[in-house]
Amino acid sequence: MDTTIQNKVPNKSTMSEQYHIYRSGFETILSTIEYKLRDVISLPSKPTLKSRVKSFDSYYRKTLRIKPPLNQDFPLPLLTDMMGIRIICAFLEDLAVVEQQIKDNFVVKEVERKGASLSFKEFGYESVHILVEIPKELLDAAACTGFNLPQDCVCEIQIRTILQDAWAEVEHELVYKSEFSPFDLPLKRKLASINASLSLADIIFQEIRDYQNKLNREVDFRRNAFYSKADSMARDSLPMEISVSERGQQISSPYVRGTIDDMLLAAIQAHNAGEMEKAVKIYTDIIESEPVPSSVILSVILKHRGMAFFAQNKYREALNDFQQSVAYQADNFRSLYYIGIVHSVLGDNDKAIDFFNQSLSINEHQSHVYYRRALANYNLGNYVESSSDLATANSMGLADDDCRHLQDCLMRKFDMSM
């Protein structure tokens, strides 16, 4: 700190009185910073936040140990971790994202990567510790209530994975809070082994997440291509055609053949590349593999193969696969939806509506299903029902060119009937 004087540590009871006078102010500032963090941190997997103002006993022990300098404008020696917030993330990839989001929203004074310098023979938790400056508006607000803090006061934010946090908690109990630390070599090796196992688990979890992300990107592209083809064909049933832009580009990713997941990724990549015969063959290999896949897996694979058949204009084969998908998993609302799409393409709008109804009965939060039911009702001349479904789709955020065009068609029908 800028202006300091080195003093002896005051009497414990005197420090305790002073500390508890200021504790409520620390808690107010800490809760405000935590609230802001919850607002600015954005991750696919919601992190857990824990905050604490250091207990007096812990504070006193640390001041005795490190002998921090006193600030002439503040009655107590300040520690950098007086106020602490821990952000616990699911995956290793989240740590860098959270660190950057903190840097984007706070003035960062220091970043320390705990455990980064340890060798594989050593044990110790890994964690990112970030010291952030207390925002001036918080210091000013605290000063108005008589709680004056130095301008260079900081809050410590720790970022860890779930497993890093678990290890840190256990290590703290075994090593730092115990009178006797593990000195013998076998016990140290056991601790190092546990730490290494947790680190390896974090790496494996991240690899699984990376694999899932690759697969999801491929699945999203394939699904969008399926919808694009269905949309294009549905447009032909309306008086005007609407141009539609290309939807995405092929995303390739490596795989190692062997598991069903690997084969599924290979099939979807072939599907996205337009190699439909190859995709159908791999889907079929999965369906016919030994041991027989579970009903849920069969339902998923049949749905994918049906989409490949649909892309080849083999609508009867697609319909059969979608129906089998539902037979294996009755609550597969997407396969029910796809059955409705095929019936729409084949011109059987009554059957299409029936399957759209079944899909919505399982999951009512599907804006595209409401749109397609609106389109089927329009083709049957049920303009009131069509308008109602289109309004529901719009209320759920679906308002693309196809929806607007259907709305124009409905308005013309209503005008003609008046």
Side-chain angles (χ1 to χ4, degrees):
M1 298 189 178
D2 294 334
T3 309
T4 61
I5 57 174
Q6 192 72 30
N7 287 338
K8 293 182 179 179
V9 176
N11 178 275
K12 183 176 180 180
S13 61
T14 302
M15 285 187 71
S16 178
E17 290 176 7
Q18 291 283 356
Y19 188 86
H20 287 94
I21 289 172
Y22 283 91
R23 185 180 177 88
S24 61
F26 285 128
E27 289 173 343
T28 300
I29 289 176
L30 186 63
S31 64
T32 304
I33 294 176
E34 181 184 354
Y35 181 82
K36 182 175 180 179
L37 283 169
R38 291 184 184 278
D39 185 52
V40 301
I41 292 176
S42 177
L43 291 174
S45 301
K46 188 175 181 180
T48 299
L49 272 71
K50 300 177 182 178
S51 63
R52 64 99 185 98
V53 173
K54 208 170 191 66
S55 70
F56 174 73
D57 287 340
S58 179
Y59 165 76
Y60 185 70
R61 285 196 301 270
K62 189 167 183 178
T63 57
L64 291 178
R65 187 173 75 252
I66 69 173
K67 298 179 175 60
L70 289 172
N71 188 298
Q72 64 181 10
D73 298 321
F74 195 68
L76 290 167
L78 278 176
L79 303 177
T80 57
D81 62 346
M82 297 276 281
M83 294 172 282
I85 298 175
R86 190 176 302 167
I87 303 172
I88 304 168
C89 307
F91 300 100
L92 287 171
E93 66 179 355
D94 297 335
L95 304 183
V97 175
V98 171
E99 181 178 339
Q100 187 58 52
Q101 290 172 348
I102 291 172
K103 290 177 177 178
D104 291 342
N105 292 277
F106 293 88
V107 177
V108 173
K109 307 293 287 185
E110 180 184 316
V111 177
E112 182 182 5
R113 304 185 191 284
K114 297 278 189 180
S117 61
L118 295 176
S119 74
F120 69 93
K121 297 180 181 179
E122 298 174 289
F123 61 90
Y125 74 88
E126 293 185 31
S127 180
V128 179
H129 291 197
I130 302 175
L131 300 183
V132 301
E133 189 176 282
I134 306 300
K136 186 176 184 302
E137 60 270 20
L138 292 186
L139 292 176
D140 291 344
C144 292
T145 62
F147 181 71
N148 293 293
L149 275 177
Q151 293 297 313
D152 57 353
C153 185
V154 296
C155 173
E156 182 182 78
I157 301 174
Q158 301 177 358
I159 315 171
R160 301 172 182 166
T161 65
I162 295 169
L163 295 183
Q164 287 172 350
D165 188 61
W167 169 254
E169 293 286 354
V170 174
E171 184 196 40
H172 189 68
E173 293 292 328
L174 289 177
V175 179
Y176 291 102
K177 291 182 68 175
S178 175
E179 184 177 354
F180 297 101
S181 295
F183 291 112
D184 68 291
L185 188 58
L187 190 53
K188 281 190 173 183
R189 284 175 174 167
K190 288 178 181 178
L191 287 171
S193 176
I194 294 171
N195 188 32
S197 297
L198 291 173
S199 296
L200 178 60
D202 254 339
I203 293 170
I204 293 173
F205 286 153
Q206 184 60 55
E207 289 177 349
I208 293 171
R209 171 47 63 95
D210 290 341
Y211 190 96
Q212 286 179 328
N213 289 338
K214 292 176 186 176
L215 185 58
N216 287 336
R217 286 195 296 269
E218 297 285 354
V219 169
D220 287 343
F221 178 83
R222 188 262 311 128
R223 185 181 295 127
N224 287 336
F226 174 77
Y227 290 157
S228 180
K229 178 178 175 65
D231 287 343
S232 178
M233 299 182 72
R235 255 176 244 119
D236 293 337
S237 66
L238 295 176
M240 291 170 46
E241 289 207 8
I242 301 171
S243 63
V244 84
S245 61
E246 292 295 322
R247 302 192 180 202
Q249 297 182 359
Q250 179 186 352
I251 302 171
S252 61
S253 55
Y255 71 96
V256 179
R257 183 176 296 277
T259 67
I260 287 178
D261 284 335
D262 298 329
M263 295 175 71
L264 177 58
L265 182 57
I268 293 173
Q269 287 180 316
H271 192 152
N272 291 346
E275 301 171 355
M276 297 303 165
E277 294 295 338
K278 179 180 177 181
V280 167
K281 182 181 184 308
I282 300 175
Y283 289 138
T284 303
D285 287 344
I286 298 173
I287 293 169
E288 296 176 352
S289 63
E290 295 290 344
V292 178
S294 69
S295 296
V296 172
I297 292 175
L298 284 172
S299 178
V300 171
I301 303 305
L302 284 163
K303 179 183 67 178
H304 285 295
R305 191 175 71 174
M307 296 169 81
F309 280 135
F310 186 90
Q312 296 174 287
N313 299 326
K314 297 179 179 180
Y315 303 124
R316 293 298 176 185
E317 291 90 338
L319 183 61
N320 182 62
D321 272 1
F322 293 147
Q323 288 171 335
Q324 286 191 65
S325 175
V326 173
Y328 281 113
Q329 187 180 5
D331 61 350
N332 193 327
F333 58 89
R334 281 204 176 94
S335 290
L336 287 166
Y337 172 36
Y338 296 165
I339 293 172
I341 288 177
V342 176
H343 281 305
S344 293
V345 169
L346 296 176
D348 195 340
N349 288 292
D350 284 314
K351 282 188 177 180
I353 290 173
D354 179 49
F355 282 98
F356 293 150
N357 290 342
Q358 292 183 52
S359 180
L360 288 170
S361 71
I362 298 170
N363 180 3
E364 62 182 350
H365 305 292
Q366 300 181 82
S367 58
H368 280 85
V369 183
Y370 285 104
Y371 164 74
R372 291 194 175 280
R373 194 170 69 178
L375 187 61
N377 272 312
Y378 177 89
N379 291 329
L380 289 171
N382 303 328
Y383 303 127
V384 173
E385 292 86 344
S386 177
S387 181
S388 176
D389 276 343
L390 185 59
T392 301
N394 288 338
S395 71
M396 297 174 70
L398 185 63
D400 57 15
D401 288 343
D402 288 342
C403 287
R404 286 187 284 272
H405 181 48
L406 178 56
Q407 182 65 50
D408 291 341
C409 292
L410 284 166
M411 293 302 296
R412 285 195 292 272
K413 291 294 183 181
F414 288 134
D415 289 342
M416 290 171 59
S417 65
M418 294 177 65

